[in-house]
Each structure stands twice: as structure tokens, then as C-alpha cells.
Amino acid sequence: MVKEDLKRIAEKIYDDLSNSRIPSIRLPARTKSNIIFDERYRVWKYGEQKITRSAVSLSGAYMLLRTIYTLDFILEMIENRKTSTLRELYYISEGWGDAKFHSQDESDKLAEDLEILTKKLREDLKLRPEEDGASVIGDIVIEETTRKGEKRRIHCQDDVGDSGYSIPYNVEKDKIKFIETNANKVIAIETGGMFDRLVENEFDEKSNSILIHIKGQPARSTRRFIKRLNEELNLPVIVFTDGDPWSYRIFASIAYGAIKTAHISEYLATPSAEFLGVTPSDILSYELPSDDLTTEDINALKSELSDPRFQDEFWKNEINLQLEIKKKAEQQALAKYGLDYVTDVYLPEKMAEMGYEV
Amino acid sequence: MPIAEELAKRQKEISIAEFFERNRQILGFDNPHKAMITSVKEAVDNALDACEEAGILPEIIVKIENVRGGEYRITIEDNGPGIVKSQIPNVFARLLYGSRFHTLKQSRGQQGIGISAVVLYSQMTTGKPAVVTSKIGEGFPAHKYSLMIDTKKNLPRIIDEEMLHWDKKSGTKIEFFIKGKYVKNRKQSVYEYIRNTAIVNPHARIIFVEPDGTENVFERATETMPPQPKEIKPHPYGIELGRLMAMMKETKARKITSFLSTEFSSISSSKAKEIVSISGIDGNKAPIDIEIDEAKRLIETFKKVKFVSPPTDCLSPIGENLIRRGLRKETSSLSPEFIATDKRPPNVFSGTPFMVETGIVYGGNLPKEERVEILRFANKVPLLYQEGACVITEAIKNIDWRRYGLEQKGGRGIPYGPAIILVHVASVNIPFTSESKEAIAHIEEIEKEIRLSLQQCGRKLKAHISKKSKRAKAESKFLLITKLLPDMARKVAEILGKPVPSIDEVITQIMNIIWIEDEVRKGSGESEIKINVTNYTSRKQKFSLYAEISSKDVFVEATPSPAEIGEKYVKWDIDKIEPSENMEIKFKVREEMDDVELYIKGINPVYVIGAEKWEGD
């Protein structure tokens, strides 16, 4: 029960105080040095390193006080059958005196802490994101239970406009069911410009794919949606992004799990997802228009070299190559060869290389 | 004094007006804005010197009025001893006329160019005479002169004179018109000059009326006159050939040996004999007959022979106490949190005695991100121009201020931070870089003294800052134990529906310090000091507490009664203070104290906030 899990945290602090111990709680360290590969689920999860939040320091005391106020707030929501967005949680704290959050980043992180401490998802904690869900276009029929309780079937080519079907924040089975599909793969696309290009060129039909515009770093619901497509419909997942270090992290969060949410990697990550491009090798072999790497880019690439998620041959070679050529390229750089080049040449070639029938 | 000599030599050949035109810049009249400051400065310097020589607490009124366009009327009035009737025209309307020219004594004006140059500038830019009124004492009439300078002959031209009644015991008032420019809110301005003058002359009361009618009153911070500087004879180190030749012409001594032993400081008659014999000169020769080659040999000998240092009672420092008061008074609107001062013993460069005093004002509302403000003074006169060329600035730049809690890129250059640095150099002969007397030359001895003095202030500043940061750290813990922990206890109890747990023991574990706080209340020659000691450790503690006092004699009483009253401290033995226990100590002294320094012994100082380790005994 969520309520018991939350109260257990309060009890720990109460016990510390009544036994003359300085109150503290322990959490896994949320750094890249503390993620380990989980053989069973084939995703990256938190390791054994723990950090202690202790009231011995002012910042630790603030954290503990905020934790207590937040769990009290969640208990109240459970009682009253309410939910709140993460942003609302941030604003609600205005009335908490010293426990007030100073940025939404603080409250978002605390929500994740509580997920880790209670081993529950934030939906169970009655917290939901206001993040923008992804768009879907492809030959698939989805049954969504609307807020009024109606079940509505949506064909993601015929029943939607050019911007596609919008993924809601709750993508669990009680909300969304996959009815049928004729597609044979999923292509996750980073940028809106490229998604629109593939839609305009009818690549969903031509290649028999479900196209998903993941809108940059994908929201949890998007990653969960992709994972369900992969697991329940056995559709392989291809990730198509810009050719820079930040895009590789987008891929990693889909395939291996993100460092921030490593406590729920097995729930969000799609270990079989494959990276299509743009790769540093593509920049060379397709002679793509490119920009120079910035200092931040270079640091991000170097950091990825020591990131356990990027330790296979493919990534090591590509990242080292990029550090050597010091260039990056956007997906849309492919327009150098005309608007149809990406759908007529680049994607078919790349997918053939990866072993897909085109 | 090369310029004066040059001027004296060439007086006959060129008119004085021409000379002025050529040397405007070195005389400080390069532009209308600077001319305004220089005019006020020359008159105020004279007024302060006159009052001090006569032992009168100065009361000076400076008034600037805009007549029309760029023309201003400037009036400076003092309550000094006045000037005898016959001397008034010469003092104000004849260049190089002054009593200070040949003496070696610390004074503001040194060359006698000052005020008459102002009169000349006034007449050249507006064509109007200067009006001087002076009265020498009760029962005497006042004399009023309208004066101009005959620029061909360098003689006063009296336009008008009258005798009148002046409702004032004594004093001098000068009124003149100049083409100038009045600028406000700038480092180089009349206002800043007067404010800085008030800082280093806390015995003066200055009223300054600006052109827009604003009246600024710089009140006195002390009723005590600074000690009267004594005149001294030149020291053989540092004497120049021209000067020596001139002295030998003027002296009444008939033999060179007696000339040396009477006209110089630090030369005894046996030393005089030694000098002439080394120089190969007959000791009986009359000074007036000494040839230039012989004079050169004498100077060579001066450099080889060892002399005792010149007397230093010719210097009139401001004093640490008065610097502190002056700084406090003039920065009170910024409520600085700390003032440190230091005074070096007198020292000598090239036979010239000098000494350095410094002060640092820190914190409060002083701007945190900007360069520190530097206040430079030479013989109590503010130096506003040529900061970059001055040895004071150089000395400041060469100190690694990061060690003393100010920011500085690479440990060199002018530091940044909420601070004002004051440096005063006093000397019978300030070595300025030029005749405009705006910057002190790079003399190694002076730089070293400034550096040592500022480092001493810096150490005091550092001690203050680290005490403050230690306290701030402890204060954040106070927030933790007084607000966050109680709130935490209340909230978890509420969630669990249980009684609120006691947090006392957790608090002592988190704090783990002895907290000592003091409060000083002063007034009418007395101070009452309250010291609060709280044990925030989890064990009972035992230690001794010392409070510094200026001397045994000022101590009045204390509760609890002290274990010991030392020459400069009061000591209490705290035999037992339990965890969470709080105790109060009070004492009284017959003296006004700004703050109290506390020390502890018999306990690890790491665990104590609010008192330093006792180094005495």
C-alpha cells in the first residue's frame, strides 16, 4: 500500500528524533558512476552506492523537511482522491514555510526520490507530469478510455490529422489498449521537422512503420508507450535523431534507461531499440553539411565515453570518430540532396544495413 | 624645489602671467573643473594651517555661488589668527611669498605658490580683484583689501582698502571670482575634497555651501587639537647641492665646522670635524667662501658617513583613534561593519623623516562588486588626481589582498570588495612626483612602510571576516535547530498521530559548539558589556573566558565576580556549564568601547564561536 510506504518514511524520522539520533534517510546515488546493468531486464539500474540526507547540515535538513511535507501532501491527496501535476506540487509548497521549494527542479527531484523510497511510480503517488506527450502516425488502432469513461477507437492514420495521435500522460492498459496493427516496426524521430517530412512523404505507409515524434528528450509516457509497442506487439524499435552527443543520450534513455529514472528502467526502457542515425560515420559517408562541435559538445562526448551505457564497440567507435572529426550534423541536413532523399535513399539504405526489409 | 628656483631665477625675464600660462598644469589649473577644486583646496589648506599654528579649533566656511555661465564666486572664511594688515597684500597677491618656504616642518602648503596662484587665475579669467578681509583679534579692527597682482613686477596692486567692524574674534575671509565648472558625484570634486579633508582633520568643523544652496556640515569628531609639529633643521642625508650652497650663503656661522653642527640636525661638532677632514676642507674656512667643488665633496662625504636619524617629533600624525573616528563619522551613512587602523613608527628616507598611517573600512552598504575606494592623503591633504602614479596606489597593488579577505585577480592590482582603504603619509617634505602635488613619488622606504601598515590592517580585517563567517555558519545551524527541526518533529508527529518528540539532544549533537555572544552598550564615558555563553555540546564544559580591556584602571565591576583582573583583561573561570545550559556574564568599564574582544583558554577553540584562543600569559 502506498500509504504505508509513505508513513514508513515518516516513522524513520520520528524514530531518529525520539532516540536522539540526527534524522536521516538513505537513497541510491543518482550518478552515472552508480548505474549497473541488470541482466534480467537488460536495462541499466541504480547500483549499491548510497547517499545520506541528514539533518546535520542545513541543506540536508531542508530536504528532509520538504520530504515530510510532500509525503503529507500525497497522503492527503490519496485520502481525497485527487491528483496534482508536478507543477502544482511546486506551487502548493508556497504555503509550507521553510519547506517551500525554490524551483520546480527541486520538487521534480523530490518526487523521484519518493518513487525510489516507496518503490512506487509517481502515478501511484498521485503526481502527474504536465509534459508534452509524443505524436504517433502509423497503421495502428488504439482504444483509449476517455475522461468521461467512453472507449474510443482511433486509427492512427485515418482518424488523425497531420500532427498525429497525441499520447496521454497515462499509457497504462486501463487507459490505452492496442487493438490491431499492420505495421512491422516503430521509428522514433527526434525533431518535428523530420517527423513532418516523413509524414509528408508518406513514409509510414511506404515503409509500413509507426512513426513517433518523441519531441526531444522523451517523456516517461512516450518511453512507456514505445516499450509497450515493443513488448506487446513485438515491433522492433528504430531511433532516428540528430548526430550530436545530446541525441545519443535520447537514444540511451529509450534503450537503456535514463540515469534520473534508473529506479524504473525495467518499466520504461526498450533494450532492443536500435540506433539508426545520424551517426558520425554518416556525416562522412553522406558528406552531410555539419557544424563544429562546441566545448560543451566535446565534454558531453567525453563524458559518454565513461558512461557505462555507451561501452559497446559501436558507440566507442562512433564517439571517438566524432571527437576526431569535431563535427555534428542535424537530421535535416539530409535535405542537401533534396526533400525526398531521406525517404528514398538514406532511410532505406540504413534500414537495409540494419537488416530490415524495405 | 626646482620649480620655485626656476621661477625665482626667471622672474625678471618673463612676466608672471606668462609663467602661469606655461605652467597652468603643474599648478593645478589645467581645466575649469580642476581649477575650481584647486582654488578651494589652496584656500582651505591655508585656513587649516593657520588655525593649527595658532592652536585654534578650525571652523571653516566654504561657499560656491554661480554668478553667471561659467563664472563662480568662491568664498572661504576661517576663524584663524588673522593676518597683520601690512602682510595681507603680500600673502595674497605676490607669488612665492610665504613664511614656509625655507623651513622644514610638516605643513599642508609648502611652497607659497598656492593662494596667490588662485588670485592670479581669478584675475586672468574674470578680470576681477580678490577681496580679503582679516582680523587679528578682539579689540582690533578688521581690514578689507581688494587685490590684484601686477603681473609684470610680481607685486600686489591694491585696488581698494578699508577698515571695518567684523563680528568675529579673529579670522580671514577671501572672496574671488573664477571661470570654473562645478561637478557633483564624482571622485574628483570639491565635495569629495572637503569630505576627505574632514576625515583626516576630525578637529575641524567645515560648512560647505554648494552652488544650488545645499548646505553640508562636516561636524567635528574631536575637540582635541593635533600636536603642533616642530620645525627641524635639514638632515645631511638627502640635501641637494643648490640647497647647501644657498644655506652657506645665508648662514650666520663663521666657520664651516660650526655651520655644519648648527644648521643641520644630527651633526655634532666632532662629526663636523670628521666631515671636513674627510672632504679635505679647512675647518676654519668661512661657509661663504666654500667653492662649488668643495660643496660637492661635502655632499659626497655626507653619503659615506653614518649619522643618527633625524628627530621625528617634527611629524604630526592624525593618530589611529582620530582616523577611526573620522572614518566612522564620514561613512556612517553606509553603516560599515568594521574599521581597522594602524600607525607605523616614524622612519626616514634620504634624511627626511616621514611616517605612515592607514585605515580600512569594511562591509555594510559599501558596494561589494566594485574596486575598493582609495583615500590618499599627504600631510592631511587629500590627493584626488593621478591615483595611478602614486606610491600609495602602487603599494596597495603589490599586496596580495586575497589573504586578507578581499578579491583580487592574480593577487596583484587594486582589490575588489566592500572596502575603503585610507593611507596618510606625513613628512616634513613629501616627495611629490610633480609640482602639482597630486601623487607621491616611488620611494622604496615609503612603499615599504605603507605595505607593512596596510598588511597590519589587513590582518585585523581577516580576523574580523573569519570570525564573521564562523558566526554565519553557526547562525545557519541556529535556523536549523530553532525552525527546521521543531517543524520536522511537529509534522512527522502529526502524520503519525503521535506526540511530538523532544529534540533537545539532537540539537546539541548538531550544534556541537559553545556559543558566545557579546553586546556592548556605551554612553557618557561608560560601557556595559553583556556576554552570553551557551553550551550546545553534548557534554558539560569547563574553561576560562577573557575579556580585553584597555587598562586595569577602567574596570568598575562584574557579575559573576571575575577570577582575575589583569593589566589588560578580566578573566572568569567557568567551572561547569551543562549541555543546553546558558549563562550570562556582565561587566562595566569607565570608558566608551566600540566592541569587546573575547578569548578562551582550556577548551579546543574549534568548538567555540564568538571568542578566539587566548595567547596571553
Side-chain angles (χ1 to χ4, degrees):
Chain A
M1 271 289 283
V2 185
K3 272 167 94 170
E4 274 64 52
D5 290 328
L6 289 168
K7 282 191 176 170
R8 208 169 298 128
I9 302 168
E11 258 155 25
K12 160 79 170 83
I13 289 167
Y14 189 92
D15 283 355
D16 283 343
L17 286 171
S18 9
N19 292 305
S20 306
R21 285 190 303 259
I22 297 170
S24 68
I25 45 181
R26 276 163 73 77
L27 282 164
R30 293 158 75 182
T31 58
K32 79 176 176 199
S33 64
N34 187 37
I35 51 170
I36 52 167
F37 191 68
D38 183 315
E39 294 291 343
R40 192 165 134 225
Y41 295 106
R42 295 174 55 230
V43 294
W44 293 86
K45 303 189 69 177
Y46 290 125
E48 292 301 310
Q49 293 174 33
K50 300 269 185 197
I51 53 155
T52 302
R53 293 243 168 82
S54 160
V56 77
S57 75
L58 194 60
S59 62
Y62 273 120
M63 283 302 304
L64 290 184
L65 194 61
R66 284 180 193 135
T67 308
I68 294 162
Y69 269 83
T70 307
L71 67 88
D72 181 50
F73 170 64
I74 295 168
L75 286 168
E76 209 176 292
M77 286 199 291
I78 295 172
E79 202 70 33
N80 300 325
R81 297 170 184 284
K82 285 261 162 64
T83 64
S84 99
T85 65
L86 288 166
R87 189 140 193 87
E88 284 168 332
L89 168 63
Y90 165 60
Y91 282 124
I92 275 257
S93 79
E94 281 289 331
W96 293 355
D98 289 317
K100 172 179 178 289
F101 293 111
H102 295 100
S103 70
Q104 198 187 330
D105 198 44
E106 280 179 3
S107 54
D108 287 359
K109 280 216 179 80
L110 187 62
E112 284 161 11
D113 284 350
L114 284 176
E115 282 184 315
I116 296 169
L117 286 167
T118 58
K119 300 196 171 62
K120 293 284 181 294
L121 285 176
R122 68 184 173 203
E123 285 74 13
D124 301 323
L125 303 176
K126 307 293 165 192
L127 295 169
R128 59 192 153 81
E130 65 281 358
E131 57 199 6
D132 206 1
S135 306
V136 182
I137 283 188
D139 188 356
I140 181 172
V141 178
I142 286 168
E143 186 184 88
E144 185 178 326
T145 308
T146 68
R147 61 197 175 281
K148 290 178 182 153
E150 292 168 22
K151 292 190 193 309
R152 188 188 293 168
R153 288 195 175 190
I154 299 158
H155 186 281
C156 293
Q157 276 167 335
D158 304 343
D159 300 340
V160 298
D162 289 348
S163 58
Y165 168 74
S166 212
I167 302 179
Y169 82 87
N170 178 4
V171 292
E172 294 310 313
K173 282 182 182 148
D174 58 333
K175 176 78 179 170
I176 280 175
K177 281 200 179 92
F178 300 136
I179 303 303
E180 62 169 331
T181 183
N182 294 313
N184 58 20
K185 60 187 157 308
V186 174
I187 305 179
I189 301 140
E190 179 184 355
T191 66
M194 184 50 74
F195 178 75
D196 291 343
R197 167 61 40 226
L198 300 198
V199 171
E200 191 177 300
N201 292 5
E202 296 170 343
F203 196 67
D204 52 328
E205 287 170 31
K206 283 182 196 159
S207 70
N208 210 12
S209 308
I210 297 171
L211 306 181
I212 301 182
H213 172 207
I214 56 178
K215 301 192 176 168
Q217 183 66 49
R220 275 192 194 185
S221 55
T222 307
R223 284 183 277 154
R224 176 69 181 152
F225 186 85
I226 290 171
K227 184 179 176 66
R228 282 191 60 201
L229 287 175
N230 174 257
E231 278 193 343
E232 292 170 30
L233 303 177
N234 279 318
L235 297 176
V237 175
I238 295 171
V239 180
F240 179 26
T241 69
D242 286 341
D244 64 43
W246 319 100
S247 300
Y248 310 153
R249 290 180 186 187
I250 290 175
F251 166 73
S253 77
I254 294 173
Y256 313 133
I259 293 174
K260 236 162 71 95
T261 54
H263 56 295
I264 41 175
S265 284
E266 72 267 31
Y267 169 81
L268 295 176
T270 309
S272 64
E274 287 180 284
F275 187 71
L276 176 138
V278 175
T279 61
S281 309
D282 290 343
I283 298 177
L284 295 180
S285 48
Y286 289 90
E287 293 174 20
L288 295 178
S290 58
D291 291 317
D292 291 341
L293 292 179
T294 64
T295 320
E296 292 79 46
D297 291 334
I298 291 169
N299 290 339
L301 283 170
K302 286 184 178 156
S303 160
E304 281 163 11
L305 281 177
S306 64
D307 186 325
R309 298 174 299 169
F310 290 99
Q311 292 310 307
D312 61 23
E313 283 310 303
F314 170 78
W315 281 114
K316 276 196 207 162
N317 290 338
E318 290 294 343
I319 291 170
N320 281 319
L321 176 63
Q322 189 151 31
L323 283 168
E324 206 178 298
I325 63 173
K326 293 194 166 58
K327 296 284 182 195
K328 61 181 176 182
E330 294 183 358
Q331 296 181 301
Q332 293 179 76
L334 289 158
K336 173 188 180 186
Y337 302 108
L339 296 178
D340 296 337
Y341 185 80
V342 61
T343 46
D344 288 356
V345 182
Y346 178 76
L347 286 175
E349 270 182 22
K350 291 287 289 191
M351 289 198 291
E353 267 173 40
M354 292 161 80
Y356 291 96
E357 274 177 41
V358 194
Chain B
M1 287 154 211
I3 178 107
E5 279 163 18
E6 186 197 358
L7 176 55
K9 246 188 279 160
R10 295 179 19 177
Q11 241 168 42
K12 284 168 199 136
E13 293 129 47
I14 59 165
S15 87
I16 199 119
E18 204 181 321
F19 171 81
F20 184 90
E21 267 310 323
R22 283 195 197 166
N23 297 288
R24 258 183 171 212
Q25 206 166 336
I26 56 168
L27 295 170
F29 295 90
D30 2 358
N31 59 61
H33 166 219
K34 198 167 166 187
M36 172 89 74
I37 300 174
T38 303
S39 302
V40 172
K41 174 172 168 342
E42 294 295 348
V44 171
D45 287 354
N46 279 4
L48 287 169
D49 273 342
C51 288
E52 257 167 50
E53 274 169 33
I56 298 169
L57 282 173
E59 170 122 14
I60 297 169
I61 304 163
V62 178
K63 192 170 179 183
I64 300 176
E65 296 154 284
N66 194 349
V67 183
R68 82 178 89 83
E71 190 176 320
Y72 290 84
R73 182 216 308 267
I74 300 178
T75 314
I76 289 116
E77 180 180 330
D78 66 47
N79 60 340
I83 299 161
V84 293
K85 178 176 183 288
S86 60
Q87 291 289 2
I88 294 172
N90 281 331
V91 167
F92 290 93
R94 189 173 170 188
L95 265 70
L96 288 172
Y97 190 91
S99 57
R100 291 182 213 102
F101 189 31
H102 284 301
T103 66
L104 272 185
K105 176 177 157 182
Q106 182 191 330
S107 65
R108 295 175 180 82
Q110 276 178 353
Q111 285 154 356
I113 290 182
I115 193 66
S116 41
V118 175
V119 172
L120 184 58
Y121 176 78
S122 156
Q123 110 184 23
M124 282 167 57
T125 55
T126 66
K128 291 179 183 164
V131 180
V132 179
T133 311
S134 193
K135 180 177 167 183
I136 58 168
E138 217 114 45
F140 290 92
H143 293 281
K144 183 173 173 180
Y145 277 94
S146 290
L147 297 168
M148 293 185 89
I149 300 176
D150 179 335
T151 54
K152 283 216 175 67
K153 297 178 190 148
N154 185 23
L155 283 174
R157 201 150 68 83
I158 298 164
I159 309 297
D160 190 22
E161 74 172 283
E162 61 175 304
M163 206 156 64
L164 70 156
H165 173 75
W166 194 15
D167 222 7
K168 192 165 188 146
K169 199 176 155 208
S170 69
T172 303
K173 176 160 98 174
I174 177 166
E175 234 181 301
F176 52 88
F177 295 83
I178 62 161
K179 278 267 158 59
K181 194 172 162 200
Y182 187 80
V183 181
K184 263 186 119 156
N185 303 326
R186 201 160 118 179
K187 198 174 173 199
Q188 285 132 357
S189 63
V190 176
Y191 181 89
E192 273 304 303
Y193 161 72
I194 293 180
R195 180 178 83 107
N196 291 356
T197 301
I199 292 174
V200 290
N201 293 281
H203 63 294
R205 180 171 190 263
I206 307 176
I207 298 165
F208 172 41
V209 185
E210 296 181 78
D212 64 4
T214 312
E215 189 179 290
N216 308 282
V217 181
F218 298 88
E219 289 293 351
R220 224 167 248 137
T222 174
E223 301 283 327
T224 319
M225 287 293 290
Q228 185 63 253
K230 290 185 185 142
E231 283 185 25
I232 60 157
K233 292 168 184 164
H235 191 272
Y237 287 146
I239 189 97
E240 288 156 11
L241 183 63
R243 186 85 196 283
L244 179 63
M245 295 295 285
M247 283 170 71
M248 287 190 296
K249 284 203 177 67
E250 283 169 20
T251 184
K252 289 192 181 92
R254 279 176 299 165
K255 291 196 290 184
I256 183 71
T257 43
S258 56
F259 163 74
L260 289 174
S261 59
T262 54
E263 301 283 338
F264 284 91
S265 66
S266 314
I267 300 186
S268 59
S269 44
S270 62
K271 201 67 155 183
K273 282 179 193 139
E274 186 190 337
I275 292 165
V276 290
S277 90
I278 294 175
S279 311
I281 299 170
D282 175 6
N284 293 321
K285 201 167 179 180
I288 196 134
D289 295 333
I290 296 285
E291 303 285 331
I292 188 144
D293 283 347
E294 290 171 313
K296 277 185 188 161
R297 291 213 296 278
L298 278 175
I299 286 183
E300 283 308 305
T301 311
F302 287 163
K303 286 179 189 156
K304 283 181 229 153
V305 178
K306 262 200 177 279
F307 297 100
V308 289
S309 289
T312 50
D313 54 358
C314 53
L315 297 172
S316 165
I318 304 160
E320 276 193 73
N321 197 10
L322 287 186
I323 288 186
R324 181 182 291 269
R325 281 202 205 173
L327 284 173
R328 171 152 299 142
K329 180 168 69 83
E330 291 313 322
T331 58
S332 63
S333 61
L334 297 163
S335 31
E337 59 186 54
F338 182 71
I339 297 178
T341 53
D342 181 66
K343 178 180 158 187
R344 298 284 305 162
N347 208 308
V348 174
F349 72 91
S350 314
T352 309
F354 76 98
M355 69 178 293
V356 168
E357 302 170 281
T358 58
I360 294 181
V361 183
Y362 181 84
N365 298 324
L366 284 162
K368 290 184 177 56
E369 312 288 327
E370 285 168 34
R371 265 177 48 161
V372 302
E373 187 181 347
I374 299 172
L375 302 179
R376 298 176 293 137
F377 298 91
N379 285 350
K380 303 183 191 173
V381 175
L383 305 177
L384 299 183
Y385 286 92
Q386 292 200 36
E387 186 176 282
C390 189
V391 69
I392 293 177
T393 314
E394 190 61 25
I396 292 172
K397 283 181 177 171
N398 287 339
I399 292 170
D400 187 345
W401 287 98
R402 297 173 302 184
R403 273 197 260 164
Y404 307 121
L406 293 176
E407 306 226 340
Q408 193 184 30
K409 279 183 201 118
R412 260 192 68 87
I414 295 180
Y416 284 72
I420 299 174
I421 297 176
L422 177 150
V423 177
H424 177 225
V425 179
S427 175
V428 294
N429 186 11
I430 300 271
F432 288 109
T433 54
S434 76
E435 296 304 319
S436 57
K437 299 192 268 178
E438 286 159 347
I440 303 172
H442 286 238
I443 306 286
E444 214 172 289
E445 291 90 337
I446 299 183
E447 205 215 303
K448 188 178 168 203
E449 287 298 308
I450 296 172
R451 193 175 66 236
L452 291 174
S453 185
L454 283 175
Q455 283 172 333
Q456 185 57 30
C457 280
R459 281 188 281 276
K460 292 178 193 166
L461 174 63
K462 177 69 192 171
H464 165 78
I465 293 174
S466 51
K467 193 165 151 190
K468 196 177 104 177
S469 77
K470 215 169 156 190
R471 221 171 252 261
K473 224 174 177 178
E475 259 153 24
S476 77
K477 290 211 164 175
F478 265 119
L479 171 69
L480 201 163
I481 59 158
T482 57
K483 294 187 78 184
L484 304 192
L485 268 189
D487 198 10
M488 205 181 287
R490 190 186 51 76
K491 197 79 185 175
V492 283
E494 181 192 306
I495 291 170
L496 301 172
K498 291 181 178 175
V500 180
S502 157
I503 55 173
D504 288 353
E505 285 186 43
V506 175
I507 285 174
T508 54
Q509 282 183 49
I510 288 176
M511 292 297 279
N512 200 25
I513 50 150
I514 307 284
W515 176 261
I516 301 176
E517 226 171 353
D518 59 73
E519 187 192 341
V520 179
R521 269 201 264 160
K522 57 175 180 182
S524 55
E526 279 192 346
S527 305
E528 219 183 272
I529 295 98
K530 239 196 263 178
I531 305 166
N532 227 302
V533 183
T534 311
N535 180 3
Y536 285 114
T537 69
S538 42
R539 269 170 299 164
K540 63 178 180 220
Q541 300 288 352
K542 173 178 187 287
F543 57 94
S544 302
L545 179 75
Y546 294 77
E548 201 175 76
I549 54 175
S550 68
S551 98
K552 203 172 188 163
D553 306 330
V554 300
F555 178 78
V556 182
E557 57 182 19
T559 39
S561 54
E564 193 188 334
I565 298 160
E567 212 38 68
K568 292 221 166 220
Y569 60 86
V570 188
K571 176 190 173 188
W572 291 267
D573 288 331
I574 295 168
D575 287 328
K576 198 177 83 179
I577 179 163
E578 297 284 348
S580 318
E581 193 190 331
N582 170 296
M583 66 178 288
E584 192 178 83
I585 295 171
K586 273 199 255 185
F587 73 101
K588 214 174 184 179
V589 288
R590 215 175 297 107
E591 175 186 41
E592 293 199 10
M593 290 172 79
D594 285 330
D595 44 24
V596 63
E597 296 297 331
L598 299 175
Y599 300 90
I600 34 97
K601 202 180 118 182
I603 185 170
N604 186 345
V606 173
Y607 293 115
V608 181
I609 308 272
E612 303 297 312
K613 188 180 170 201
W614 177 249
E615 306 277 6
D617 294 352

